[in-house]
Amino acid sequence: MSRALVALLLLLPLTLSAQERARNVVLFIADAGGTSVLSAASLHGYGAPRRLFVQRMPHIGLSTTSTATQIVSDSAAGMTAIVTGQKTHNGVIAQSASAVRGTSDGEPLKTLLEYAEERGLSTGIISNDALTGATPASLYAHVNDRAMTAEIFKQVFAPRFGDGPDVMIGAGRPAVTKALAAAGSDLDTVARPSERAVLSSLSDVPSKATRAIVLLESSTFDMTEAIRAAHRMLSKNRKGYFLMVEGDVHTDRVRPGLDRMVMLDKAIEQTAALVGRDTLVLFTADHSFDLRLRGGLLATPLLDGIDEAQELSQTEKRRDVRTPAVRMDNGHTGEEVLVAATGPGAARVRGYMDNTDLFRVMLAAFGWKAE
Ligand SMILES: [Zn+2]
């Protein structure tokens, strides 16, 4: 056998495993986690570049984040593109670009979660932001304005396909309670007709449960514990599951934002070890954020002086925070974000991609065709 042929045969299993079908897909969204946030998180968390797990994943690409009309995206348009394969306007949740935000509906766009529900898979959503926030809502709700919190929550219990999201773990209990009260309703009234309960703690989930809604008071829960609980429930379905995990990493407050990115990255690494070889793990951001590395030395802690600078900008009512190493201007930005993947189907992540391409990457990993 020629050496070239031997080399080819040795490489073949690798190539095939990256192309084969996934039973499960776990999508991680770092909300506002652009590449500069990743660079800063690695320097902040580990004192060196390229130490994050997402920076070491085997398949990477870049994704645009533009909306149907705008260069800079919010979470609603950003997530709608990623999970429906179609672009819409800022503020619009999983409706076509014929929608006018806050005024009139567009066509509902079928989401990856709905594809999975229709095919009998289990589905889950975890977020350390509100479960009715624009990122999670884009998977299960269809509204013309992300601010319609009560309507978004009601749509959890009125699914267009299957029986709706099976597992939901996340923050936002005060906001949802308040929005439902303003609409003359409450959590139990909305949930009871579908025989579901809205739990307030992970420890309330029965050990044999396959479905659960856990709406927490605060965003400071243990993400890894939530992922383990979701995995325990979702992986009981032999057909497979789709799980989306959102970590809010907006760095308007630089230190806590970067701390959250380091924590999310650890959760992704632990998840990749937990889920097994039949699972595509995909990481990206819905849009970038205006955090820049402007100077500094690798040997010096990245965030030296940041707490004082953050306080000063608050006192002076400025949007920006500046130290010799870091400059933060409080806003989303329009440049490409990292896409990183491991597991079956991960090889489709490569080069410059569009945010709508990620929908097709996940659909193809499951072996499904877009309608
Ligand atoms: Zn966002």
Side-chain angles (χ1 to χ4, degrees), residues 31-32 74-75 135 246 250 286-287 332:
D31 197 322
D74 78 341
S75 298
T135 303
E246 176 197 24
H250 280 80
D286 50 350
H287 50 76
H332 295 179

Side-chain angles (χ1 to χ4, degrees), residues 29-34 37 73-76 128-129 134-135 146 246-261 264 285-291 310 319 328-333:
I29 300 287
D31 197 322
V37 169
S73 186
D74 78 341
S75 298
N128 66 2
D129 203 352
T135 303
R146 59 184 287 173
E246 176 197 24
D248 171 24
V249 299
H250 280 80
T251 42
D252 47 330
R253 286 169 63 235
V254 180
R255 185 185 294 278
L258 293 182
D259 284 341
R260 282 197 303 269
M261 185 61 235
L264 177 66
D286 50 350
H287 50 76
S288 193
F289 196 81
D290 201 354
L291 177 84
Q310 191 98 45
R319 288 171 62 81
M328 188 284 296
D329 270 322
N330 191 351
H332 295 179
T333 51

Side-chain angles (χ1 to χ4, degrees), residues 96-113:
S96 66
S98 60
V100 180
R101 181 180 186 170
T103 302
S104 62
D105 287 336
E107 298 298 317
L109 301 174
K110 190 169 177 179
T111 74
L112 190 68
L113 184 142

